[in-house]
Amino acid sequence: MTHIKYTFLKRNEVLSKKVNRLRGMYDVTPEQVWVWQKIERIVTGILDRYGYQEIRFPVLEKTQLFHSAIGEVTDVVEKEMFSFESRKGESISMRPEGTASTVRLALQNGLLFNDPQKLWYNCPMFRYEKPQKGRNRQFSQVGVEVFGFEGPDVDAELLLMNRQMWQELGLKNVRLELNTLGTPACRTKYREVLIQYFEQHLDALDEEAKNRLYSNPMRILDSKNPAMKSVIASAPLIKDYLNQEAQNHFSELLAILDACDLEYQVNPKLVRGLDYYSHNVFEWITEDLGAQGTICAGGRYNKLVEMQGGKPTPATGFAMGVDRLVELIVDHKLWQPETQTDVYLIRDKVIPAETALKLSEKIRKATPGLKMMVNMGEASFKSQFKKADKSGAKFAIILGEAEMAAGNFSVKALQDRDFGQQQLSFEKMVSLLSSATQQ
Ligand code: ATP
Ligand code: MG
């Protein structure tokens, strides 16, 4: 046995204690993994068809990246990051979101020199949050980030693509809420007005809001504290401080959405949690998930690339919470489980394992897409048939001495009584399995 050095635990402790997963983290078991796979297949298939390209970035980045991109006074940076020191004393964080890393990747790899980019990623994010339904400490996002287009055509394309995703996923009760945060110039003006307003209502603010009053007053509008609901409800609205450019961008976006029959609600109170947004922001919300009903959120962030040291580059995007989609589909039984196995291969003890495996390879090669499970080890026919039934297979192929001698295959339908058990040539069997696979 190789020697393992346990740094933190005594050897006995390691051997005697069952270790469970960390709070807020999840496992995906075989019973649920098909839901994840199917969502990913549908969503990334659509991204592919719209001409978006995948990128992959590391789980770990310098903490500074998130501080400068997301903003110091945000939930994510203030209290939700998994950060630690490297062995050399540098502060490192597990990515809490993908936009900052995408901008870093695009800049570092020279993607933003001339060409516009339409990029996507699909990966886990990490936030130290209070775990609850729809809120995990590790959660997966499919994110899309687009660079080099002023919009609003591309902003509309993102929303149309979202609509296509909900349609192909079979989600019904999803609504779109939209708002505009204007340009930085509009926001400077609005910020002053907002600070004045909240200064007049200091008593109604909680500690967090007071702390944010001068550093990031717009974030107060995003508070989830019910006690502040009414002071937020009467706060001045950004829409009264928009300049011509901001108004045009937003109304052109709405006009495209109208022309494409995409329904939306303008919510003048919608602000996004992260600091880098400008112009349109949006959320796709479902009532079918309880409190954590936002399944996808995004907007335009024209200043971020410049803030990260690149040349000014317009940018827009969204991130979709895959965990919440899985929950929605599982809770509401929107999908039926897919067949995991088309055919189960059973063999008589007298047939050697190598013969069975060699044949199974030949059958697989002749039947593209076939999902075939081969019985492992030796067992009675009865127990092999039990496993075949449990696998959900439509057919069992039985390798027996007599059939092998005659050059035939014995095929039994496990779900179709009329078919019974038949002796078939290799070709006939393959054509039967092919048609069953395509159903
Ligand atoms: P919230 O206001 O719910 O905390 P957020 O503004 O922090 O959301 P974003 O950073 O915009 O969320 O992330 C985009 C999407 O990712 C969310 O709409 C949600 O679907 C998903 N998401 C965010 N945080 C979590 C989490 N902790 N667990 C599961 N999904 C999450
Ligand atoms: Mg959050």
Side-chain angles (χ1 to χ4, degrees):
M1 205 183 119
T2 48
H3 181 71
I4 303 172
K5 193 172 161 211
Y6 293 107
T7 324
F8 302 110
L9 297 172
K10 293 194 194 96
R11 190 177 151 75
N12 286 347
E13 255 177 315
V14 172
L15 291 178
S16 64
K17 281 197 187 135
K18 195 172 77 190
V19 179
N20 289 325
R21 61 174 183 261
L22 292 166
R23 201 163 118 78
M25 305 280 164
Y26 57 80
D27 302 309
V28 183
T29 58
E31 282 85 52
Q32 281 207 352
V33 78
W34 66 273
V35 182
W36 288 83
Q37 290 170 338
K38 189 168 165 184
I39 293 173
E40 288 169 352
R41 215 165 42 236
I42 291 174
V43 168
T44 64
I46 292 171
L47 290 165
D48 194 36
R49 272 155 38 211
Y50 279 69
Y52 288 63
Q53 288 180 302
E54 185 180 2
I55 51 166
R56 299 186 185 200
F57 38 73
V59 173
L60 300 179
E61 298 272 6
K62 293 181 182 176
T63 301
Q64 182 199 342
L65 174 71
F66 303 115
H67 278 245
S68 65
I70 299 173
E72 303 280 350
V73 194
T74 54
D75 284 350
V76 172
V77 165
E78 274 184 332
K79 47 189 185 197
E80 295 177 357
M81 290 230 283
F82 279 93
S83 301
F84 56 93
E85 270 195 8
S86 75
R87 284 165 193 268
K88 289 193 174 146
E90 185 177 30
S91 181
I92 288 178
S93 296
M94 299 174 76
R95 56 177 181 229
E97 54 100 60
T99 306
S101 300
T102 304
V103 171
R104 197 229 4 94
L105 176 149
L107 288 174
Q108 198 159 5
N109 293 278
L111 301 189
L112 302 182
F113 282 137
N114 295 311
D115 297 329
Q117 298 286 347
K118 292 181 168 181
L119 308 172
W120 65 267
Y121 49 82
N122 171 25
C123 55
M125 305 298 170
F126 304 84
R127 293 185 194 174
Y128 200 89
E129 301 207 58
K130 192 165 156 233
Q132 52 195 290
K133 192 173 165 56
R135 202 174 277 292
N136 305 317
R137 289 183 176 172
Q138 172 172 336
F139 60 97
S140 266
Q141 283 185 339
V142 171
V144 169
E145 316 288 353
V146 176
F147 300 97
F149 301 96
E150 294 281 355
D153 49 355
V154 76
D155 299 289
E157 182 177 78
L158 295 181
L159 295 167
L160 293 170
M161 199 158 66
N162 285 144
R163 175 174 67 176
Q164 185 64 23
M165 289 169 179
W166 314 145
Q167 199 179 324
E168 288 187 33
L169 290 167
L171 311 185
K172 295 246 161 58
N173 306 319
V174 193
R175 65 167 204 278
L176 172 62
E177 289 194 3
L178 272 175
N179 192 20
T180 177
L181 304 180
T183 64
C186 319
R187 281 166 71 164
T188 312
K189 182 95 183 294
Y190 178 56
R191 210 185 116 90
E192 282 168 26
V193 180
L194 208 52
I195 291 175
Q196 271 170 21
Y197 169 79
F198 284 126
E199 276 176 342
Q200 286 159 14
H201 297 85
L202 273 183
D203 294 348
L205 301 187
D206 61 15
E207 276 314 299
E208 191 173 69
K210 282 180 192 155
N211 287 338
R212 289 175 172 179
L213 181 53
Y214 299 102
S215 51
N216 196 347
M218 274 180 77
R219 289 281 295 120
I220 299 176
L221 300 174
D222 207 16
S223 165
K224 293 180 184 94
N225 183 352
M228 286 183 17
K229 217 171 171 172
S230 72
V231 69
I232 290 173
S234 317
L237 298 172
I238 180 86
K239 75 177 170 57
D240 299 321
Y241 300 88
L242 297 178
N243 59 20
Q244 201 57 46
E245 182 197 340
Q247 282 175 23
N248 290 349
H249 195 279
F250 198 50
S251 57
E252 281 168 32
L253 171 62
L254 299 187
I256 302 176
L257 299 182
D258 290 336
C260 297
D261 295 322
L262 200 158
E263 282 180 30
Y264 56 84
Q265 290 163 294
V266 174
N267 174 359
K269 297 223 156 53
L270 180 74
V271 294
R272 300 280 315 128
L274 310 182
D275 253 5
Y276 44 55
Y277 289 101
S278 52
H279 288 295
N280 50 291
V281 290
F282 64 87
E283 291 194 4
W284 288 94
I285 302 163
T286 173
E287 301 305 328
D288 295 345
L289 270 179
Q292 261 50 261
T294 303
I295 54 170
C296 178
R300 184 160 274 282
Y301 52 96
N302 287 348
K303 283 283 158 208
L304 184 61
V305 176
E306 203 178 340
M307 276 161 56
Q308 295 304 107
K311 64 172 193 210
T313 308
T316 184
F318 64 77
M320 165 185 321
V322 183
D323 306 44
R324 292 186 190 174
L325 294 178
V326 171
E327 243 171 52
L328 191 58
I329 287 159
V330 171
D331 286 2
H332 293 269
K333 299 195 174 54
L334 298 184
W335 293 350
Q336 293 306 311
E338 289 174 351
T339 332
Q340 302 297 319
T341 316
D342 298 314
V343 57
Y344 196 94
L345 194 103
I346 287 173
R347 82 180 154 91
D348 191 349
K349 278 192 198 96
V350 297
I351 308 292
E354 60 263 35
T355 309
L357 283 169
K358 208 170 150 187
L359 269 172
S360 72
E361 294 296 288
K362 194 173 157 196
I363 298 168
R364 284 200 177 92
K365 207 166 170 189
T367 326
L370 181 71
K371 294 178 188 167
M372 178 164 60
M373 207 192 273
V374 178
N375 194 76
M376 293 289 131
E378 288 185 355
S380 66
F381 274 130
K382 194 174 162 205
S383 112
Q384 294 192 60
F385 270 114
K386 251 191 187 161
K387 287 190 209 153
D389 279 330
K390 202 171 162 212
S391 77
K394 291 181 211 93
F395 295 100
I397 301 175
I398 305 126
L399 300 182
E401 209 172 13
E403 295 87 354
M404 296 286 294
N408 278 338
F409 290 82
S410 187
V411 180
K412 186 177 179 196
L414 298 173
Q415 291 162 16
D416 175 4
R417 278 164 181 270
D418 296 341
F419 182 94
Q421 187 162 338
Q422 297 186 16
Q423 309 295 316
L424 301 174
S425 67
F426 182 79
E427 288 70 26
K428 285 228 168 90
M429 177 184 68
V430 163
S431 84
L432 172 76
L433 296 179
S434 298
S435 58
T437 309
Q438 266 132 45
Q439 273 169 17

